[in-house]
Amino acid sequence: MMGEKGVLKCFLNASSGADIAVVEGVMGLFDGISGKDDFSSTAHVAKVLNAPVILVIDAGKAARSIAAIATGFLHFDKKLRIIGTIINNVAGDKHANFIIEAFADKVKVPIIGIVERNKTITMMERHLGLIPTPELEEKQKRAIFQSAKFVSEQLDLDKIKNLLDMVQRTGPLLPKHLPDGQIKIAVAIDESFNFYYVDNLEALREQKAELIFFSPINDCKLPENIHGVILGGGFPEVMANKLEKNQSMKKSISKVAEKGTPIYGECGGLMYLTRSIRGYKGDEQKKRNMVGLIDADTFIGGKLTLNYTEASSNASIFGKISKVRGHEFHYSRIENIAKDSKFAYVMRRGYGIDNKKDGFMVYNCLASYMHLHFADSRLPKRFIANCIKFTRK
């Protein structure tokens, strides 16, 4: 999505001033866009960053075999620097000793943590993963701190630090540039909309935009004197009853849309802009009325759509771009789509909204399932240019 330069810029900006940066891997170490190579995997990112890897292995159903798994990872790609392992989900001291004995003869990197099995630190999940922070109650927040304490006490933090001190540091830091705002962008942030790449928000600020955060659930209307609106990803289906009841906010969004204000919605934002949402937790009949800007409805089903995406942008906020890369991740689908609907994207990879088409275009609004990363500098520049054009009308 970002390209290697985008990964480097993101990392350097985010880790400015830090002694140690922790990069969380996703899926298996070598799992990327295909089975042919490691492109877009955690291993690929580690090599781009020249970063060492600490391998976490689930030992829940094995003992000596864990040493064989670690050995396989160590030899699978010699360009990768695996400097230590954390053994997770260990039953107790006997189980741990079996693994330690197996590692002593076969594995050339140290064990830097053994985390025992503990059902009390299990995190709550739902259809798209962990519960977002804004929804957590105080009891759940305390549980996270207790879990962190439990895990940290079973890691050898001094050994981790010593291993990292021996690693060559990545190159010079890029300067942060956050100029004063001239263009005001309203960005939805609350329990229902909270999936954003921080880099995207920073990229908008670099284009001299001022970001004004608002809540479609709790605020009665959009902020005043804005030049654009962003409705990010999230869980509008979970909070659909509250979103439905906030009639004044829905009217406020429709009003600015009709004036031609640029509005950009991704996934959850797309769903909120349709006529209705139904189907969450099996309630297929009850419809919750949404903004209704898009002449279609949202249904929450049981089938997961998960892809890296690539599309051609033909019009709307971003104009014509031959390659727009992102990802899609949702259980919903858009139904009852008006026959005269217009779409901005033709999908080369991924499914989109309907039959390889994505990005509803209504007024000066673009709403898609595809999540984008603004490491592609054309995207924030063109969005802001569209906002500037709107202000001059």
Side-chain angles (χ1 to χ4, degrees):
M1 286 169 58
M2 303 169 66
E4 291 190 358
K5 289 183 180 178
V7 171
L8 281 166
K9 183 178 179 181
C10 167
F11 172 77
L12 293 170
N13 278 340
S15 60
S16 176
D19 296 312
I20 295 172
V22 180
V23 182
E24 181 188 8
V26 63
M27 298 179 67
L29 180 58
F30 298 104
D31 297 320
I33 205 165
S34 74
K36 297 176 183 177
D37 54 36
D38 67 0
F39 186 79
S40 291
S41 68
T42 296
H44 181 199
V45 172
K47 286 186 283 188
V48 169
L49 297 178
N50 192 28
V53 174
I54 294 174
L55 188 66
V56 182
I57 304 177
D58 184 349
K61 297 181 180 179
R64 190 167 187 266
S65 298
I66 300 303
I69 293 170
T71 301
F73 274 92
L74 284 167
H75 292 287
F76 191 78
D77 184 348
K78 294 295 182 63
K79 295 178 182 178
L80 201 65
R81 293 180 299 161
I82 298 176
I83 62 169
T85 59
I86 294 172
I87 312 301
N88 192 26
N89 204 12
V90 176
D93 290 343
K94 184 178 179 181
H95 187 190
N97 286 333
F98 279 158
I99 297 169
I100 292 168
E101 290 170 353
F103 266 62
D105 291 334
K106 300 292 185 182
V107 184
K108 303 304 180 184
V109 298
I111 295 174
I112 55 181
I114 294 179
V115 182
E116 291 190 4
R117 191 174 303 153
N118 185 340
K119 292 182 180 179
T120 64
I121 66 169
T122 302
M123 294 291 109
M124 290 178 61
E125 295 188 49
R126 63 173 177 230
H127 55 299
L128 290 179
L130 298 175
I131 309 299
T133 304
E135 292 185 48
L136 295 178
E137 297 175 357
E138 194 59 38
K139 182 180 178 181
Q140 295 167 319
K141 291 179 181 178
R142 284 200 303 271
I144 291 174
F145 286 111
Q146 290 166 358
S147 300
K149 185 175 185 295
F150 174 82
V151 172
S152 67
E153 289 171 349
Q154 298 176 83
L155 303 181
D156 191 334
L157 298 177
D158 289 333
K159 185 179 284 187
I160 293 173
K161 184 177 180 299
N162 290 336
L163 286 168
L164 294 176
D165 283 340
M166 293 186 287
V167 173
Q168 181 182 354
R169 303 291 184 180
T170 309
L173 299 178
L174 298 179
K176 282 195 172 184
H177 180 54
L178 305 177
D180 294 334
Q182 295 178 0
I183 297 297
K184 292 179 170 57
I185 309 296
V187 180
I189 291 274
D190 60 14
E191 305 95 306
S192 195
F193 301 95
N194 45 61
F195 179 80
Y196 291 96
Y197 293 119
V198 174
D199 304 310
N200 286 13
L201 304 181
E202 297 293 326
L204 292 169
R205 290 187 175 114
E206 287 176 3
Q207 297 299 314
K208 302 187 185 301
E210 178 185 351
L211 306 185
I212 304 172
F213 298 106
F214 75 101
S215 168
I217 290 177
N218 302 309
D219 296 334
C220 61
K221 62 179 181 178
L222 288 166
E224 298 287 347
N225 303 316
I226 57 170
H227 310 113
V229 179
I230 296 180
L231 297 159
F235 299 95
E237 68 273 27
V238 177
M239 303 288 172
N241 60 327
K242 293 182 178 180
L243 291 168
E244 180 183 46
K245 290 176 182 177
N246 196 342
Q247 297 287 348
S248 61
M249 175 58 75
K250 291 188 290 182
K251 290 177 182 177
S252 178
I253 291 172
S254 294
K255 188 175 180 179
V256 299
E258 290 167 7
K259 289 181 177 179
T261 306
I263 298 177
Y264 177 54
E266 281 187 347
C267 199
L270 158 68
M271 296 158 64
Y272 179 52
L273 292 173
T274 61
R275 283 189 301 254
S276 67
I277 294 177
R278 70 180 180 92
Y280 181 57
K281 289 190 173 179
D283 188 0
E284 297 190 9
Q285 303 306 317
K286 178 64 177 177
K287 285 186 177 182
R288 300 288 186 181
N289 293 323
M290 296 293 112
V291 176
L293 194 61
I294 294 169
D295 197 3
D297 300 288
T298 301
F299 174 70
I300 311 299
K303 184 179 178 181
L304 174 64
T305 299
L306 173 61
N307 296 297
Y308 284 110
T309 55
E310 184 176 307
S312 296
S313 173
N314 300 315
S316 192
I317 285 171
F318 300 125
K320 290 183 180 271
I321 300 177
S322 60
K323 288 185 179 180
V324 178
R325 289 178 178 152
H327 81 275
E328 54 188 3
F329 180 35
H330 56 89
Y331 278 95
S332 66
R333 69 170 185 262
I334 306 300
E335 58 185 11
N336 305 323
I337 300 171
K339 292 182 179 179
D340 61 351
S341 295
K342 296 179 180 179
F343 296 91
Y345 302 136
V346 176
M347 309 300 292
R348 295 180 179 179
R349 182 194 297 275
Y351 184 77
I353 290 171
D354 180 49
N355 194 28
K356 295 286 185 177
K357 293 179 288 187
D358 200 2
F360 279 113
M361 294 189 295
V362 182
Y363 299 114
N364 200 11
C365 168
L366 171 63
S368 67
Y369 267 132
M370 182 162 58
H371 295 275
L372 301 178
H373 196 288
F374 285 2
D376 182 342
S377 60
R378 298 173 297 179
L379 302 175
K381 286 179 181 177
R382 293 191 182 188
F383 181 72
I384 296 301
N386 206 295
C387 294
I388 292 171
K389 184 179 178 181
F390 165 71
T391 66
R392 293 173 177 168
K393 286 185 177 180

